[in-house]
Amino acid sequence: QVQLVESGGGVVQPGRSLRLSCAASGFTFSFYNMHWVRQAPGKGLEWVAVISYAGTNKYYADSVKGRFTISRDNSKNTLYLQMNSLRADDTAVYYCAKQGYDSVVKYYFDYWGQGTLVTVSS
Amino acid sequence: QSALTQPASVSGSPGQSITISCTGTSSDFLGYNYVSWYQLHPGKAPKLVIYDVTNRPSGVSDRFSGSKSGNTASLSISGLQAEDEADYFCTSFTSSSTWVFGGGTKLTVL
């Protein structure tokens, strides 16, 4: 079955960096666009970034553009999120999510991980 | 990238029906039917319950249904059950190749 397992979260000081990972299994990882979505404490979901199946196209939310970088290693079935210049308002649970595909690209997230908590605090 | 607008909370008694709205702009919805809905229970992975406005993934109860009129999409749940108590979020693919979520709606089953 599809599994997405995030790791790399923790407590980090403002201005520092952190890299999140998402290990995928149960599907052909290299066929699917992948996303990061976050949820700040007591807040709603916020889309963060997407990377195309081959890694050639990437899009970001305005709130993280220029600070976060999404990448993937299809040989390792792993998605990454490099987060630099972290701010207090980046504190959130970060989820990786798989975008649907059924002969054509689908515009929804059909599987999600359980998330990893990032806390930005001095 | 403004969030789609959802009511903060809705409630209903077991067996009743509720509807959650999700309002955006024409650029949010792109004129296409790319609205999806997700159910979040605390500490669990989000779960897709409706995609492409009206479609239900395999395994999701037929008590869940979706619709859209103009720039407002809706999620309806009939025959409310205690297990339906959760947060619900809508999302849409936008004209700038990004995604936007609604602010979320807390459903309370009384």
Side-chain angles (χ1 to χ4, degrees):
Chain A
Q1 72 279 21
V2 172
Q3 278 200 307
L4 298 170
V5 180
E6 302 93 338
S7 61
V11 180
V12 61
Q13 293 179 328
R16 303 297 290 266
S17 299
L18 203 62
R19 188 177 83 156
L20 305 183
S21 300
C22 171
S25 60
F27 65 102
T28 306
F29 181 70
S30 60
F31 284 7
Y32 296 88
N33 298 342
M34 296 294 296
H35 298 252
W36 288 99
V37 178
R38 67 184 181 182
Q39 185 176 27
K43 303 288 187 181
L45 293 175
E46 180 188 17
W47 177 80
V48 173
V50 59
I51 185 168
S52 61
Y53 62 94
T56 49
N57 294 310
K58 305 174 186 181
Y59 295 93
Y60 298 91
D62 289 344
S63 58
V64 306
K65 201 174 295 182
R67 300 187 300 123
F68 289 12
T69 301
I70 189 171
S71 63
R72 64 193 298 160
D73 186 336
N74 286 344
S75 69
K76 295 182 178 178
N77 291 342
T78 303
L79 175 72
Y80 301 101
L81 185 67
Q82 177 67 42
M83 304 185 295
N84 298 331
S85 303
L86 282 161
R87 312 186 303 221
D89 62 0
D90 294 317
T91 294
V93 173
Y94 285 75
Y95 298 98
C96 67
K98 170 182 168 290
Q99 187 172 339
Y101 182 87
D102 182 12
S103 304
V104 295
V105 172
K106 298 296 186 181
Y107 294 91
Y108 53 80
F109 313 119
D110 54 1
Y111 292 95
W112 300 63
Q114 298 253 12
T116 186
L117 177 61
V118 173
T119 302
V120 183
S121 174
S122 54
Chain B
Q1 293 170 344
S2 301
L4 302 173
T5 301
Q6 296 181 233
S9 63
V10 298
S11 62
S13 299
Q16 287 187 332
S17 298
I18 62 95
T19 296
I20 300 171
S21 61
C22 169
T23 301
T25 66
S26 55
S27 62
D28 291 331
F29 291 128
L30 241 185
Y32 300 135
N33 292 329
Y34 293 151
V35 179
S36 51
W37 291 87
Y38 302 85
Q39 177 190 63
L40 268 79
H41 283 114
K44 288 193 155 186
K47 177 185 176 184
L48 175 69
V49 294
I50 292 287
Y51 67 94
D52 293 350
V53 177
T54 61
N55 296 311
R56 249 187 340 270
S58 172
V60 172
S61 170
D62 61 3
R63 298 183 298 104
F64 289 80
S65 62
S67 63
K68 181 170 170 283
S69 177
N71 288 334
T72 297
S74 298
L75 171 70
S76 297
I77 309 174
S78 62
L80 271 179
Q81 300 179 1
E83 69 207 45
D84 299 331
E85 184 162 296
D87 293 328
Y88 291 85
F89 293 86
C90 60
T91 190
S92 181
F93 180 64
T94 79
S95 58
S96 53
S97 297
T98 60
W99 270 257
V100 62
F101 278 93
T105 299
K106 182 176 180 58
L107 169 60
T108 301
V109 181
L110 302 169

